[in-house]
């Protein structure tokens, strides 16, 4: 693998463009209005492939995350928070729209050859907030379509710096040699580096950090929404020079520590601008750790398996929220919630109507702010994966795993040093019912001995299938909407 940059100065040139380029235009967009007084700023940080067990406050011991731990100590830490799918594009689609990803036609991960992306008829958090007068910026990984009509500026964001999809979708990927085109870096709608090198990747965390602090400074006097969708710790891993070897736990730990430091710098900038008290900061991850990469993957903590499976390790993620004066410090929230709840919760906080098209998320502002005895608003959460396969469903402490083919690392072989390992692909042949309260590791199938609960779960499965379909049983849903497509 040749990781030497063919154009080592391109990235520095790109950074100059970022720094010298016109400042984001703010909220003077058509259809927006002057902001109501008192609206909070919102900083939403979304890691890529960071596991439930990768932060100190969630049990990590191999590396240190002092700034994220402090953030959790100053606010709320969720312990039963989920993504909708254990994979990048689908997870991001749900976060930004409040919908199950398959409701809006986004399945799995998009690739450089994909001709689909987020539909213009869906409403993103950025569009919703911009209507309320927010300045909106995104930095990092978009992954909801890389053709021009799908890029962030066409979906509610005023400004963008980042990669359009995963950082391993590039020619230097040793596990897919020659299969990918050159990896582009975008500033707004323009490619400013058409061949991101390994060296460039090592500068990304710092570039994203600087974009974030610039954005906060530029918009300190108006409400803003900053979506920092980090490229890392998705493989291939690159830490900045200052952080290499710092964790003592390999490059994965170094990357996590650099990310933590970047978050800290962003929090410091909020403080320097006097915005700490009026800013809601949220931190989560798009799916569990990619265990296939062994020492280049993270940790799922107490949960089984990781990314690419609907065992808890793939779908249960950290979620931290800080908003001084609104969220009491140091609270733990154990109610069942999901990324689809972020949009409706923000809608309530900024007092704006929900999108006109149906969404799946619920307002969890009471859970976020620690209202006593507040309960999860969800009767059930559905977990689809692949192309519209309903693989699992959750209700209260109960989880039903449905028959499907699954890639396990248990019985397989994790990779070493950035190389892909090998999965153990096995069929799940019968529905398996777990009680996560007594069996968090999902090992004891109670389907036979608890037929009553199995029947309740199967009723919920039927509801999901009738609305959103299920390719595993060849069902078509009545409510699925088409994604955007460049093929007309
Ligand atoms: Mg991911």
């Amino acid at each position: 693998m040749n990781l030497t940059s063919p154009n080592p100065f391109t990235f520095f040139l790109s950074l100059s463009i970022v720094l010298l380029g016109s400042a984001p235009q703010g909220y003077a967009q058509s259809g927006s209005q002057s902001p109501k007084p008192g609206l909070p700023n919102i900083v939403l940080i979304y890691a890529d492939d960071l596991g439930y067990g990768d932060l100190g406050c969630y049990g990590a011991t191999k590396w240190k995350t002092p700034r994220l731990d402090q953030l959790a100590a100053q606010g709320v830490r969720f312990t039963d928070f989920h993504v909708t799918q254990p994979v990048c594009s689908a997870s991001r689609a749900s976060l930004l729209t409040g919908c199950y990803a398959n409701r809006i036609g986004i399945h799995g991960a998009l690739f450089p050859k994909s001709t689909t992306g987020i539909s213009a008829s869906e409403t993103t958090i950025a569009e919703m907030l911009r209507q309320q007068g927010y300045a909106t910026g995104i930095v990092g990984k978009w992954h909801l379509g890389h053709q021009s009509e799908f890029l962030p500026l066409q979906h509610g964001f005023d400004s963008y710096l980042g990669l359009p999809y995963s950082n391993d979708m590039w020619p230097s990927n040793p596990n897919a040699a020659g299969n990918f085109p050159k990896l582009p870096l975008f500033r707004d709608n323009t490619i400013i580096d058409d061949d991101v090198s390994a060296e460039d990747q090592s500068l990304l965390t710092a570039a994203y950090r600087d974009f974030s602090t610039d954005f906060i400074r530029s918009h300190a006097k108006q409400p803003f929404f900053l979506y920092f969708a980090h490229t890392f710790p998705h493989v291939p891993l690159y830490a900045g020079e200052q952080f290499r070897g710092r964790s003592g736990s390999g490059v994965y730990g170094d990357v996590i520590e650099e990310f933590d430091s970047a978050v800290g710098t962003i929090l410091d900038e909020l403080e320097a601008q006097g915005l700490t008290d009026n800013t809601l900061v949220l931190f989560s991850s798009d799916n569990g750790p990619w265990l296939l990469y062994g020492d280049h993957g993270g940790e799922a903590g107490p949960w089984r398996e990781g990314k690419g499976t609907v065992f808890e390790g793939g779908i249960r993620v950290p979620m931290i929220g800080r908003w001084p004066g609104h969220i009491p410090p140091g609270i733990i929230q154990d109610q069942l919630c999901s990324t689809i709840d972020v949009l409706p919760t923000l809608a309530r906080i900024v007092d704006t109507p929900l999108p006109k098209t149906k969404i799946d998320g619920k307002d969890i502002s009471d859970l976020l702010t620690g209202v006593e005895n507040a309960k999860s608003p969800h009767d059930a959460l559905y977990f689809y994966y692949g192309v519209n396969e309903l693989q699992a469903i959750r209700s209260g402490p109960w989880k039903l795993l449905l028959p499907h083919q699954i890639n396990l690392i248990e019985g397989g072989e994790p990779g070493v040093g950035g190389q892909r390992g090998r999965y153990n692909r096995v069929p799940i042949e019968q529905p398996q019912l777990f009680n996560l309260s007594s069996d968090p590791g999902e090992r004891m199938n109670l389907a036979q001995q608890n037929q009553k609960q199995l029947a309740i779960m199967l009723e919920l499965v039927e509801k999901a299938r009738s609305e959103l379909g299920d390719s595993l049983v060849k069902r078509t849903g009545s409510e699925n909407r088409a994604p955007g497509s460049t093929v007309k």
Side-chain angles (χ1 to χ4, degrees):
M1 175 175 52
N2 176 17
L3 290 180
T4 310
S5 168
N7 55 348
F9 298 107
T10 311
F11 194 80
F12 296 103
L13 180 65
S14 306
L15 281 181
S16 307
I17 293 168
V18 171
L19 297 172
L20 297 172
S22 58
Q25 291 173 359
Y27 56 85
Q29 303 287 328
S30 63
S32 66
Q33 58 187 48
S34 295
K36 290 173 283 198
L39 290 175
N41 306 302
I42 295 154
V43 175
L44 172 59
I45 305 170
Y46 210 44
D48 195 352
D49 294 5
L50 181 140
Y52 185 94
D54 278 344
L55 303 181
C57 54
Y58 282 88
T61 55
K62 291 185 187 164
W63 42 79
K64 294 187 171 63
T65 55
R67 301 306 303 267
L68 284 159
D69 299 346
Q70 184 189 33
L71 189 75
Q74 293 168 337
V76 59
R77 184 168 70 80
F78 287 73
T79 58
D80 201 357
F81 193 88
H82 291 264
V83 294
T84 58
Q85 297 201 19
V87 66
C88 303
S89 298
S91 176
R92 283 148 212 277
S94 290
L95 175 73
L96 288 185
T97 65
C99 295
Y100 287 117
N102 51 319
R103 176 180 293 285
I104 63 171
I106 304 288
H107 305 289
L110 298 174
F111 283 83
K113 284 184 180 167
S114 298
T115 54
T116 55
I118 186 167
S119 167
S121 60
E122 304 301 339
T123 303
T124 66
I125 291 174
E127 287 168 316
M128 181 182 84
L129 293 177
R130 192 156 75 176
Q131 284 292 322
Q132 295 300 307
Y134 278 72
T136 55
I138 166 176
V139 63
K141 172 170 159 178
W142 172 241
H143 218 176
L144 293 175
H146 59 280
Q147 290 91 351
S148 58
E149 69 198 78
F150 305 130
L151 289 173
L153 265 63
Q154 283 64 262
H155 292 274
F157 289 95
D158 303 332
S159 56
Y160 173 45
L161 172 71
L163 305 179
Y165 38 72
S166 299
N167 63 325
D168 64 340
M169 296 174 182
W170 70 333
S172 302
N173 184 336
N175 302 295
N179 285 349
F180 292 117
K182 292 174 184 173
L183 179 62
L185 178 76
F186 278 81
R187 177 70 164 100
D188 297 339
N189 282 318
T190 304
I191 292 174
I192 55 171
D193 181 349
D194 66 359
D195 189 8
V196 171
S197 67
E199 186 182 351
D200 294 341
Q201 291 223 28
S202 75
L203 297 168
L204 281 176
T205 303
Y208 293 171
R209 175 199 66 201
D210 294 347
F211 176 97
S212 300
T213 51
D214 287 349
F215 182 82
I216 290 167
R217 263 195 306 277
S218 306
H219 299 286
K221 293 194 170 24
Q222 64 185 101
F224 59 78
F225 169 53
L226 172 64
Y227 174 42
F228 175 9
H230 201 7
T231 289
F232 298 119
H234 193 292
V235 293
L237 300 169
Y238 292 100
E241 204 171 355
Q242 264 186 291
F243 289 86
R244 286 173 210 158
R246 194 174 102 160
S247 69
S249 293
V251 66
Y252 192 88
D254 297 344
V255 164
I256 294 286
E257 292 200 358
E258 184 176 18
F259 188 10
D260 182 76
S261 168
V263 171
T265 303
I266 292 166
L267 299 176
D268 290 344
E269 187 62 41
L270 290 173
E271 181 67 18
Q273 299 297 328
L275 299 175
T276 298
D277 287 351
N278 195 35
T279 301
L280 168 61
V281 180
L282 299 172
F283 178 95
S284 193
S285 179
D286 73 333
N287 50 249
W290 207 352
L291 303 177
L292 186 63
Y293 282 86
D295 61 341
H296 282 222
E299 303 198 343
W303 314 117
R304 187 171 179 186
E305 292 291 331
K307 174 179 178 173
T309 78
V310 293
F311 280 118
E312 290 297 292
I315 53 176
R316 193 182 298 218
V317 291
M319 176 55 150
I320 296 169
R322 186 189 77 175
W323 189 13
H326 298 268
I327 301 175
I331 59 173
I332 308 286
Q333 183 52 264
D334 66 358
Q335 293 293 300
L336 177 63
C337 301
S338 167
T339 51
I340 51 178
D341 302 327
V342 174
L343 182 145
T345 301
L346 295 179
R348 160 99 180 271
I349 287 171
V350 306
D351 190 24
T352 186
L354 291 174
K356 290 192 180 71
T357 46
K358 181 173 178 179
I359 68 165
D360 299 289
K362 310 278 189 197
D363 168 21
I364 57 164
S365 52
D366 285 354
L367 297 171
L368 182 71
T369 58
V371 171
E372 209 173 330
N373 297 321
K375 297 290 179 215
S376 169
H378 292 286
D379 294 334
L381 287 178
Y382 311 146
F383 298 100
Y384 283 81
Y385 187 46
V387 181
N388 220 43
E389 297 183 0
L390 181 59
Q391 296 190 348
I393 192 162
R394 176 80 191 277
S395 183
W398 295 99
K399 180 163 173 187
L400 186 69
L401 204 61
L402 292 156
H404 66 279
Q405 294 281 330
I406 191 164
N407 287 330
L408 300 178
I409 206 66
E410 189 176 297
E413 201 176 328
V416 178
Q419 296 289 322
R420 238 177 133 87
R422 178 182 56 78
Y423 280 126
N424 174 28
R425 187 164 176 81
V426 297
I428 290 169
E429 286 169 341
Q430 296 295 327
Q432 298 189 18
L433 181 67
F434 304 112
N435 184 328
L436 297 181
S437 297
S438 52
D439 176 28
E442 301 174 86
R443 299 283 174 182
M444 288 179 282
N445 179 9
L446 304 176
Q448 284 300 320
Q449 64 200 82
N450 199 335
Q451 294 281 324
K452 192 173 156 205
Q453 187 60 38
L454 178 64
I456 292 170
M457 299 301 279
L458 288 172
E459 253 178 60
L460 294 167
V461 166
E462 176 53 33
K463 184 168 183 287
R465 285 174 175 162
S466 71
E467 288 184 10
L468 298 175
D470 180 3
S471 62
L472 288 166
V473 293
K474 300 190 168 45
R475 288 278 297 273
T476 306
S478 60
E479 298 185 6
N480 302 80
R481 306 194 286 261
S485 175
T486 56
V487 180
K488 306 295 177 192

